[in-house]
Amino acid sequence: MSIHPHPDGTPWRNFYGRIKGKSLNAAQAERLDRDLAALTLHGVTREENPERRPLDPAALSGDRPLWLEIGFGGGEHLVHMAAAYPQVSLIGAEPYVNGVAMLLGRIETAGVSNLAIHPGDVRDLFDVLPDGSVGKAFLNYPDPWPKSRHHRRRFVTPEHLLPLRRVLAPGSEFRVATDIPDYVRQTLEEVPAAGFTLIAGPTDRPWADWLPTRYEKKALRAGRAPHYLTFRRP
Ligand SMILES: C[S@@+](CC[C@H](N)C(=O)[O-])C[C@H]1O[C@@H](n2cnc3c(N)ncnc32)[C@H](O)[C@@H]1O
């Protein structure tokens, strides 16, 4: 199946990140062909749902809590959470095809069945998730966009935060991890401005159920320290 909503392979919103990396190895390509369609959350893309009808909450997760990871990268944290919380359903959004392929490998190895994928931009998912349908959201090492003129591309801007707030249930947690001090600054400005309350951090002590991601390891190797922040949607 095609991983991106447009027939020509481009996403229909401006997406500045990377969609393709090096070619997939044979096992990854086979897994994408074999497993992605079954794990993909349907009714999210513009092709499947041009009217942007909200998804049916019962079909999303039944009466189980639903958690969301934004930009799961290689999927290690997402699979770790799915294994640690079998009573929860998780959705991960990630447009980077190599990351999606890595996630599929991890799902197979871990044998978890409580997660679904949106292999694309999380904003597509925000369009169709019902109000208050998500019980927890994770944003781990979002793209830093270091140049000031690119700061408006960061996830922590109203374009992303206001829809996120709408889909989060009252009282739910929004966790942010980043290694970039200026990202901490913008997070502390923008996330409360979008209607969230800071309840913990910034701190260098991770959550008890945290699993270091690829980007965290890379940051540590480069001498950059992690910062963890926890917000609540009032
Ligand atoms: C720096 S990487 C971090 C990946 C992973 N969370 C980790 O900690 O290793 C940021 C990821 O966010 C993804 N991303 C960026 N914008 C996104 C969006 N609008 N929707 C979903 N994912 C997005 C990128 O494709 C990239 O894989």
Side-chain angles (χ1 to χ4, degrees):
M1 78 175 272
S2 155
I3 196 164
H4 293 293
H6 246 230
D8 67 0
T10 53
W12 60 287
R13 302 182 204 257
N14 283 341
F15 178 73
Y16 301 104
R18 222 166 32 145
I19 285 176
K20 277 198 176 139
K22 357 180 245 247
S23 344
L24 302 174
N25 64 38
Q28 288 176 323
E30 193 198 315
R31 236 183 257 114
L32 270 182
D33 276 350
R34 196 186 57 216
D35 299 342
L36 183 59
L39 289 166
T40 294
L41 195 60
H42 291 285
V44 179
T45 62
R46 195 168 55 160
E47 273 63 34
E48 283 186 337
N49 183 354
E51 307 86 23
R52 317 308 287 143
R53 269 175 287 103
L55 300 178
D56 172 9
L60 271 173
S61 63
D63 47 14
R64 296 142 66 99
L66 181 68
W67 294 357
L68 169 67
E69 183 163 337
I70 300 155
F72 57 73
E76 49 281 308
H77 177 269
L78 184 58
V79 168
H80 164 73
M81 285 293 170
Y85 297 97
Q87 75 286 10
V88 169
S89 292
L90 287 112
I91 316 177
E94 174 56 69
Y96 182 49
V97 64
N98 302 60
V100 174
M102 280 186 252
L103 171 72
L104 294 180
R106 292 202 159 95
I107 292 176
E108 190 173 292
T109 308
V112 292
S113 58
N114 53 332
L115 67 83
I117 306 173
H118 170 53
D121 193 315
V122 73
R123 291 171 293 179
D124 300 346
L125 199 51
F126 290 154
D127 289 348
V128 297
L129 282 173
D131 292 1
S133 54
V134 175
K136 204 180 270 200
F138 307 97
L139 177 69
N140 298 330
Y141 295 89
D143 289 325
W145 297 113
K147 294 184 180 144
S148 332
R149 69 171 189 280
H150 291 155
H151 286 180
R152 65 199 149 88
R153 295 184 183 177
R154 287 177 170 171
F155 184 88
V156 289
T157 46
E159 180 195 356
H160 304 95
L161 294 170
L162 296 175
L164 172 65
R165 182 177 190 277
R166 182 186 65 73
V167 305
L168 280 174
S172 51
E173 218 174 271
F174 171 41
R175 296 183 179 179
V176 184
T178 179
D179 55 320
I180 307 294
D182 190 66
Y183 209 104
V184 174
R185 174 201 59 76
Q186 191 169 342
T187 302
L188 288 171
E189 276 173 26
E190 300 269 6
V191 179
F196 292 82
T197 308
L198 179 70
I199 55 168
T203 168
D204 58 359
R205 285 217 311 275
W207 303 276
D209 54 5
W210 172 247
L211 181 91
T213 64
R214 267 157 55 96
Y215 269 82
E216 176 163 293
K217 290 180 187 159
K218 206 166 138 180
L220 287 168
R221 282 197 302 272
R224 295 189 302 270
H227 307 272
Y228 306 100
L229 301 96
T230 312
F231 295 89
R232 176 153 287 146
R233 188 239 196 264

